[in-house]
Every structure is written in structure tokens, then in C-alpha cells.
Amino acid sequence: MAELTIKNASIALYHYLCQNIVGIEKHVKTLRMMNTVRDNLQSNNEWTYITSGSFGEGLLMRGSDFDVMGVVKLIEVCEDTHIDFNADTIRFTMEMEDTQAGFTKLRLVYSNDFNILKVCNEIGGDFYFSNAFKQRYSTNGFPTVHGPCLSDDAGIYDIAYCLHCKSWITPANQWVTRSINSWPRSDVKQAIVKHGVLFVPIGVKGSTQEELEWRISFSVGEKLLIYSFTHTQLLCYALMKILLKDVIALDIDCKELLCSYFMKTILFWICEELPLSIWKPENLISCYMRCFRRLIYCVEYSLCPHYFIPENNLFGIKIHGKAQKLLLNRLYILNSYGWHGILLSDQISSIWNVLPSDISKATSYCYANNVGRLSNSFLFACDIIRTFDYLLEKCIHQVLSSKSSKIRYLFTYYLSKFCCKSERFLPLKDTSCNKSIYKKHNTYISTLLLNTRHDAVSGWLMLALLFYKRKKYNTSLRIIQYSLLKCTPEKLYQFMHFSDIHYDLFDLHVFRNMHTVQLWTFLLLDLMYIDNFSLHPDELQMEEKQVIPPIVYAYFLRFLCHYHLKNSKQCWDSIMDLQLTIEENYFIPSGLKGLSYNILGIGFQMLGDKEAAILSFMQSIKVYPNEKHNSAFKTLSFIN
């Protein structure tokens, strides 16, 4: 009877994770495909970009950051110096004699660029690559050194600049022949070995040669291993991450002792030991508890062998003494609860209350919950302005040549995202001949029409903006009206709460058969991204980058058109529609309500209603009382 209860609980937990946290297999595969397409587009002759971390593995989980690895193509690392010579490549060789397992020093073998010596340390006539080279890429957007990465101020985005060795290395040779079980498959192993390894710029903390040491990274191999997971294995991985972030980390003394990488490593070892037949939905809890108890064992003995190089103990000097005792005590207490310990996470605790009993509705719930989240996978670590022509050509080639409809849809989506940034380098002011102006105008229209393929509304508003800036207000009004007609109750937008309408909608056969990108085109209302460039109205020139709900933008742009056409009644109608939209929170994320009131206040100011303008700016301050980032404070001081 107890066994039956655990099996039922496992199946319930499996469905809950699919519906609320991880997504079904189709969702995970779509996210991975998006990452692959984006990485392909970002990579160029100098850099290969690889989305890594949870997001790169296909997991969109609470608290996860966005990790990217930038691999330098012009620098190559080798273990054996007897390799093919390439005069255009800077080459380093590995030296591991006096380094900890899993780390190496990199000695310069050849370079035709003497600037490389600026980031090398000379020892006994040889030059060793300093891992401080990552600081050369520090920018205002990524000013903080975080381990081997550079991070943004908010700590959400990490990018690690690393090096590549195209061949497999000796310290990891035993992994190739170690496992005789069904996981990982031989084709997965071959793909991992074929890729080689990476080197990230960080040494062993406290080492006398810390600045010259590089950590050997198997990030791509680990990513391929997780791609080979069954969905049950992936959900078990998600449970281990939730256990770490939501349960173990609640104890302040244990918060910094463990990391997600330890959980991943433990799961790899368990997967290698167990036959694939075990990893079924009805065994999810049993598999999770096996991983949890292995974690306790590792902490007890302060031993967590690296999956590829077991001689590298990941716990090292970190889990010992008082820290080890505190952590063990916390784990023993959790183990006393059995599998119910995971219910201490607020993400899991409501499982019995919200789990839909109908599988059809469950799938609809999962779709509605994840289609909007997937749209947040944006273009990252890529200078779109500088490389637009290259990316445009690459996108078009892939759209025309790919046999897979899913791949074509994804490349079309990214092509549309590229085009939504393109207006900033297409100047509106042109003093050349009429023929040149006509050509540029047509280029604008073509580019902005491509921009309509990643959501339902924002692309059309950008087209309306073009005609507004050209003072073709009536044409702009017709496009705006078309955009507003698309703002219907079933549409999706970021951070929204879903209604029964959405669950019923996703249960329809027509939507279930659509690819994710198709769904975005029909249902998604993407935000309008505003900064100081020519296409946006002068009345909306912001001091810093802003995002505006598309419906707010549409009503304000409609107001501006009627204002310039001197249509007094329609001006007031547009402002009243805008005010009602804001007050009713219609398609407005809560974090953008303050900015929406600012825009309303600008409209009242233009109409000469000073009192209504002041009330709007005051309401903005009430909703968003941040003097640094809310311009309503400054505007009110000017009015007063």
C-alpha cells in the first residue's frame, strides 16, 4: 500500500512539475532549440557563443540567472604540441604538473600578435596566460567580476570568456571507457569527446599561482548529457535545484556551502549507475530520494568527485569543520521528513491544491504558463547594431534553406527581433536626392514589416510610428486602429495571471498544433522598448531606456496623431481611453503602471489641463515612488 502511495505521489509530482515549473518535453525542446538558434546567430568569425547554465539546459526556473560562454576562436589550447600549424591562431599548451586536478596553466607556444604578451606573466623565459584577461572585456553593462564571469549590476546575467581545446584531454580519458550502463549513450559520448573541452579564467582559491590557473570546463559536454536525459531525469534535476535554493538555503549558515553544480554532478553519477528503465514518472520520488541521500553521503565524507575528472574533489576545503557539521545537521533534519521535505519549498507546497485532475487541461495549463515565459529569451551578448547586415544575411539563408519548419519559424522570429532594433541606424533625416529618400523609405517599410513576426502588436506599432514621423497621420491612425483591434482578452503579456479563457484557448486543437513562434504571432503582446533614437515621438524621448505596454503606446500615439491633425474631440477621446486602460490595468504589468501614468500626464499637459496632469504625475509617484528612475518627480518640480 505504501509503495502504491509513493507511486501515485510520484506521478502527481511529475505532472505538477510539468505544469508549473519545468514544462512538458515539448516546451523544454523548444527552449533548447531557441538557444541553439540564437547561439548560431550570435557566433561569428571571432567568437562562438554558447548559452549555458539552467537556461541553456532548457530550464526556466525561478532565481536562475542567464549564463553565456564566449569562446575565443583566435586562441587555441592543445595538450600535445605536435599538431597542425596555423599562423593565424594564437596557441597555448597545457601544463598540469603542479596544479590541482581539474586545473591547468597555459603556456604560450606561438603568437603572431605581440599584444597577447600584455596578459601573460613571464616565468623562466616562458609566458603563461593570466586569467585576469577576462577583465579586458569589462564594460559598463558588465562591470563586476563574478568568479570566471563578468556580471551585470543586478547579478542576473553572467558571461564567461573562455578558451577551447578541440581534442579530448588525458585527465578525462577514463570517463570514455568507465560506464558500461545504458547512460550515457555511445553517440552522446562521441559528441562530447569530439567537441573537446573549454578553459575558464579562474584558479584555485588561495593557490600561490591562482592568477595563472585555468579551470578545465566540460560545460558543453554536461549540456549534451542533460539533453540526453529522459524527462523524469530532468525533473529530478529540477527537484535537486529546488531543494538547494528553496529549502537548504533557508538556513543562513548553509546558504553559500552548496551550489547547483554539485547537485548536477551527483545526478550524473546516479544516472550512470542506474538503468534507464528506472527513470519513469512513477519512480520520480524514489530517484529524487536516492540523489538526496547521495548528497548526504558526500557531505559526510567531504567528497564530491568531479564527473569527468574524479580526482578533482569539488568539496575540496569548502565542506569541512564547523561548516560541514552545520550542513549535515540541516540535511539530517530534512531526511527525517522523507520526500515530504521538498514540500518546504513554496514552489512545491501547493501541489495538492492546484494540480488539475484532467490531463487535457493540465497540458493547456502548461502551455499558457510557458508560452509567455519563452518569449523572454532575448538576443544576448550580441552587438546587433554593428553586425546587423551579417545577422540578416545569416537569418534569411537559414529561413530559405532549412528543411525543418520549426527551425524556419525560430529563425524568422529572431529575424523579426533583429528588425525591431534596426530603426536606430536607419536615419530619418536625409538631405540627399528624392530618389535616395524614396529608397530609404521603402527600406524602412520592408524592415518594419519583417518586425511584425515576433508578436501580435508591437511590430505594427513600429510601422505606425514610421508614418507618424513622416507626418502621414491618417495612415498611422489606420495602422494603430488595426493594432488596437488585436488587443483582445485572450492575448498574453509578460507577468500576467492567466484566466480560464487562456486554459480553454490552449485546449483548442488549432493552438495545440501550432509552433511556439506561431502562437506568439497570434497571442503575444510584446513590450515597446524606448530609448533616445529618431523613430520614437519627441514627446516620449526618455532619459534612459524604458519599456512601455503596447496598448498604452498605441493610445498615446493615436492621441498624438489627432493632436497634430487638430482633431480636438478625438484627442480627448484617446486620452480618456488611455486613462481608462491604465485604471483598469488592461494589459499593463504592475511594474509599468507608474510609467503609464507619466505618459498620461504628458497628454494632459499637451492639452493644457494642468490639474489633470499633476494628478497623473502624483499617481505615478504613488504607484512607483522611486525618485531616481521615475521622471514624474522632476516633471512635478518643473510644473510647480
Side-chain angles (χ1 to χ4, degrees), residues 52-161:
S52 57
S54 295
F55 192 77
E57 293 159 352
L59 293 174
L60 268 173
M61 298 183 67
R62 186 179 73 182
S64 297
D65 52 12
F66 192 98
D67 300 311
V68 171
M69 304 186 82
V71 184
V72 188
K73 284 188 174 182
L74 300 178
I75 300 177
E76 186 177 329
V77 178
C78 54
E79 188 176 12
D80 184 1
T81 56
H82 302 291
I83 56 175
D84 295 336
F85 179 77
N86 185 342
D88 296 325
T89 302
I90 300 171
R91 183 164 285 108
F92 289 90
T93 187
M94 299 168 58
E95 287 196 359
M96 296 177 285
E97 290 80 7
D98 56 347
T99 57
Q100 180 178 306
F103 291 81
T104 184
K105 291 189 297 183
L106 302 177
R107 180 172 60 83
L108 182 64
V109 177
Y110 170 81
S111 174
N112 59 358
D113 182 1
F114 289 103
N115 288 323
I116 196 69
L117 299 179
K118 295 178 182 178
V119 284
C120 291
N121 288 11
E122 184 179 4
I123 301 176
D126 289 322
F127 291 89
Y128 292 87
F129 204 11
S130 169
N131 58 44
F133 108 110
K134 58 180 173 281
Q135 296 169 6
R136 297 178 65 186
Y137 301 101
S138 178
T139 63
N140 291 335
F142 294 88
T144 307
V145 175
H146 178 215
C149 306
L150 294 174
S151 302
D152 67 326
D153 288 328
I156 298 174
Y157 307 112
D158 288 337
I159 182 163
Y161 294 99

Side-chain angles (χ1 to χ4, degrees), residues 606-626:
M606 293 177 66
L607 290 173
D609 192 337
K610 182 178 177 181
E611 183 177 344
I614 291 174
L615 288 174
S616 297
F617 291 127
M618 289 178 66
Q619 190 65 24
S620 173
I621 292 172
K622 180 180 178 181
V623 172
Y624 185 49
N626 187 319

Side-chain angles (χ1 to χ4, degrees), residues 75-303:
I75 300 177
E76 186 177 329
V77 178
C78 54
E79 188 176 12
D80 184 1
T81 56
H82 302 291
I83 56 175
D84 295 336
F85 179 77
N86 185 342
D88 296 325
T89 302
I90 300 171
R91 183 164 285 108
F92 289 90
T93 187
M94 299 168 58
E95 287 196 359
M96 296 177 285
E97 290 80 7
D98 56 347
T99 57
Q100 180 178 306
F103 291 81
T104 184
K105 291 189 297 183
L106 302 177
R107 180 172 60 83
L108 182 64
V109 177
Y110 170 81
S111 174
N112 59 358
D113 182 1
F114 289 103
N115 288 323
I116 196 69
L117 299 179
K118 295 178 182 178
V119 284
C120 291
N121 288 11
E122 184 179 4
I123 301 176
D126 289 322
F127 291 89
Y128 292 87
F129 204 11
S130 169
N131 58 44
F133 108 110
K134 58 180 173 281
Q135 296 169 6
R136 297 178 65 186
Y137 301 101
S138 178
T139 63
N140 291 335
F142 294 88
T144 307
V145 175
H146 178 215
C149 306
L150 294 174
S151 302
D152 67 326
D153 288 328
I156 298 174
Y157 307 112
D158 288 337
I159 182 163
Y161 294 99
C162 49
L163 310 179
H164 185 206
C165 176
K166 295 180 180 179
S167 57
W168 199 244
I169 59 173
T170 303
N173 275 342
Q174 51 77 36
W175 172 78
V176 181
T177 56
R178 185 179 68 216
S179 173
I180 58 173
N181 290 333
S182 57
W183 189 93
R185 301 189 312 267
S186 59
D187 60 319
V188 175
K189 279 192 172 184
Q190 289 171 12
I192 293 171
V193 171
K194 184 177 179 180
H195 172 268
V197 299
L198 299 175
F199 301 87
V200 294
I202 189 169
V204 179
K205 191 172 183 180
S207 167
T208 56
Q209 303 181 97
E210 182 177 352
E211 187 182 342
L212 298 181
E213 293 172 341
W214 293 67
R215 187 170 69 206
I216 303 171
S217 171
F218 297 84
S219 291
V220 174
E222 290 157 2
K223 187 174 174 180
L224 292 175
L225 287 175
I226 289 177
Y227 278 20
S228 74
F229 275 180
T230 66
H231 206 53
T232 302
Q233 287 172 313
L234 186 68
L235 296 185
C236 189
Y237 177 38
L239 283 174
M240 292 296 287
K241 291 170 76 73
I242 291 170
L243 171 74
L244 172 66
K245 297 289 180 66
D246 293 359
V247 183
I248 296 175
L250 291 179
D251 189 329
I252 193 67
D253 293 322
C254 302
K255 188 174 183 179
E256 303 298 330
L257 295 178
L258 298 176
C259 67
S260 294
Y261 191 77
F262 298 159
M263 302 301 188
K264 182 195 300 185
T265 301
I266 288 170
L267 186 62
F268 283 159
W269 284 108
I270 297 292
C271 288
E272 186 177 298
E273 295 165 11
L274 294 180
L276 275 176
S277 59
I278 296 294
W279 297 94
K280 296 179 179 178
E282 60 265 30
N283 296 329
L284 176 59
I285 288 175
S286 299
C287 293
Y288 159 72
M289 286 305 298
R290 188 180 185 113
C291 293
F292 177 51
R293 287 172 184 142
R294 179 65 61 87
L295 171 64
I296 294 175
Y297 176 87
C298 290
V299 174
E300 283 177 341
Y301 291 92
S302 285
L303 179 64

Side-chain angles (χ1 to χ4, degrees), residues 41 379 384 388 391 395 414-422:
L41 289 173
L379 304 172
I384 297 171
F388 179 75
L391 293 170
C395 260
Y414 280 114
L415 176 60
S416 182
K417 293 291 280 186
F418 291 148
C419 290
C420 81
K421 302 290 185 182
S422 65

Side-chain angles (χ1 to χ4, degrees), residues 373-384:
R373 288 200 301 161
L374 267 175
S375 68
N376 296 329
S377 172
F378 56 92
L379 304 172
F380 183 75
C382 179
D383 189 345
I384 297 171

